[in-house]
Amino acid sequence: MKGKELLRVSVLGNLAVSRHGMRMQLPPSKKTRALLAYLAVTDRPHSRDRLCSMFWPVPDDPRAALRWSLTRLRPLIDEPDCRRIVADRESAGSILIVTPWISCRCAIWSETAPMQS
């Protein structure tokens, strides 16, 4: 983990993101926050179409809304030498938060239990 900051995404209660215990400011958009939580908790690739239908089921331009949300999440989640949000347009159009550097606090973990990565 040398050169990489431990990232913690807490999804119980209020959504929170922290690096080395320092709380990061979340984007103001509720849908962008929901997207972050969903990607972190599900821990698998999702198609752009599926994410668009889940979070932006309006006829406007859901793909543009998804791109906008991802641009707001990348500075929060990614580091210059470590891309945690991987979006692939060419093949399946999948989006994934890469988990080796992310810990999600879930209901089965105690507040005092050490996080495992």
Side-chain angles (χ1 to χ4, degrees), residues 49-71:
D49 289 338
R50 174 152 171 76
L51 294 173
C52 287
S53 68
M54 287 178 64
F55 294 101
W56 296 277
V58 292
D60 291 337
D61 190 355
R63 284 184 167 258
L66 176 59
R67 282 191 302 273
W68 183 88
S69 286
L70 290 173
T71 63

Side-chain angles (χ1 to χ4, degrees), residues 6-74:
L6 177 64
L7 180 69
R8 177 178 288 175
V9 177
S10 300
V11 296
L12 289 180
N14 291 328
L15 179 66
V17 176
S18 61
R19 284 193 184 134
H20 291 296
M22 190 169 158
R23 196 170 205 158
M24 308 295 289
Q25 184 171 347
L26 294 171
S29 166
K30 290 181 183 179
K31 288 186 180 185
T32 301
R33 291 176 183 207
L35 175 65
L36 170 62
Y38 182 75
L39 291 173
V41 170
T42 57
D43 186 27
R44 65 182 179 81
H46 299 279
S47 73
R48 289 176 183 268
D49 289 338
R50 174 152 171 76
L51 294 173
C52 287
S53 68
M54 287 178 64
F55 294 101
W56 296 277
V58 292
D60 291 337
D61 190 355
R63 284 184 167 258
L66 176 59
R67 282 191 302 273
W68 183 88
S69 286
L70 290 173
T71 63
R72 298 305 181 266
L73 291 177
R74 282 192 172 99

Side-chain angles (χ1 to χ4, degrees), residues 48 63 67 70-71 74 83 86-95:
R48 289 176 183 268
R63 284 184 167 258
R67 282 191 302 273
L70 290 173
T71 63
R74 282 192 172 99
R83 285 183 39 208
V86 179
D88 182 354
R89 281 187 212 169
E90 288 75 35
S91 60
S94 62
I95 297 169

